Amino acid sequence: MSKEGKIVVLSAPSGCGKSTIIHELLEGERPLPLEFSVSATNRSPRPGETDGVSYHFLTTEAFRDAVAANSFVEWEEVYPGRFYGTLRSEIDRKTAAGQNVILDIDVKGAINVKRLYGDRALTVFIAPPSVAELRRRLEARATDTPEVIDQRVGKAEYEISFAPQFDRRVVNDSLGQAVAEARAVIEKHLGL
Ligand code: 5GP
């Protein structure tokens, strides 16, 4: 029988480059042996997102049914009325087959996964160099109104307060360096 796979969990406040880092780790020059755990959500797909690839897009009713059926390892109402959950089947099926999985989930979900899986799971928090720098980046991106930027910065401060509960913290100051650091801690966890 193949050896059981391991679990890597990445969390970061929005605007900290988490998606870029995950993309680099999985599909960059030296892809790590990690399968992406596809979460379920009741939010609508954004342009370019595919059902079953980005997320399993569910109706609110179907999401509630999945909660009742104990189909989730963890789930959270990340934004008011917007639910996200890690499917037990995604983790168990993949790790039972010897595959390692990577989860991109919010801070509370990450801490719950760690509590459930212990040493099999590595939690990594991607942090901005500072809250002031995060604000500067969000302002430079110019996609949000000042009110939305304030909300995002406030949420980031709240999320950063969970950072001490993660196994490892990686500061995304320069992207290349952050990817290298994340790669190093993940390789160690996977025994590579
Ligand atoms: P988005 O809607 O931008 O794709 O994701 C919003 C937030 O939900 C992100 O912080 C993402 O990490 C988080 N998220 C995605 N999937 C899950 C999940 O399965 N569980 C939890 N707890 N959070 C998730």
Side-chain angles (χ1 to χ4, degrees), residues 18 39 43 46 55 74 76 79 84-86 104-106:
K18 179 178 56 173
S39 293
R43 82 152 164 79
R46 296 188 188 123
Y55 284 102
E74 62 77 35
E76 296 288 336
Y79 302 107
Y84 296 83
T86 305
D104 166 1
I105 65 179
D106 89 315

Side-chain angles (χ1 to χ4, degrees), residues 35-178:
E35 296 291 320
F36 189 72
S37 159
V38 182
S39 293
T41 182
N42 72 335
R43 82 152 164 79
S44 311
R46 296 188 188 123
E49 288 183 334
T50 311
D51 187 34
V53 177
S54 321
Y55 284 102
H56 298 285
F57 293 101
L58 304 181
T59 61
T60 303
E61 201 192 354
F63 195 98
R64 289 191 201 285
D65 287 348
V67 171
N70 196 26
S71 301
F72 292 120
V73 167
E74 62 77 35
W75 65 272
E76 296 288 336
E77 186 173 3
V78 179
Y79 302 107
R82 283 206 199 167
F83 302 100
Y84 296 83
T86 305
L87 291 159
R88 202 173 296 285
S89 55
E90 284 285 319
I91 294 197
D92 291 352
R93 194 159 26 84
K94 285 174 174 156
T95 60
Q99 291 174 330
N100 305 306
V101 291
I102 184 162
L103 281 62
D104 166 1
I105 65 179
D106 89 315
V107 287
K108 287 192 189 162
I111 289 158
N112 283 331
V113 168
K114 179 71 188 183
R115 198 161 25 225
L116 284 167
Y117 288 94
D119 287 346
R120 275 181 66 200
L122 172 78
T123 51
V124 182
F125 186 84
I126 312 288
S130 66
V131 171
E133 173 60 16
L134 176 65
R135 179 179 285 279
R136 205 194 55 75
R137 286 182 192 174
L138 291 172
E139 284 168 355
R141 204 158 76 171
T143 49
D144 299 318
T145 62
E147 293 74 32
V148 170
I149 290 179
D150 281 348
Q151 277 172 20
R152 285 189 191 271
V153 170
K155 191 166 192 316
E157 284 176 322
Y158 170 74
E159 289 167 325
I160 290 167
S161 73
F162 288 86
Q165 297 180 57
F166 280 67
D167 295 321
R168 303 300 298 256
R169 285 159 296 282
V170 170
V171 177
N172 186 4
D173 198 348
S174 102
L175 181 67
Q177 208 173 326

Side-chain angles (χ1 to χ4, degrees), residues 4-25:
E4 199 172 48
K6 294 198 171 174
I7 300 163
V8 175
V9 188
L10 244 60
S11 291
S14 102
C16 292
K18 179 178 56 173
S19 333
T20 316
I21 292 175
I22 293 186
H23 184 83
E24 257 322 291
L25 294 173

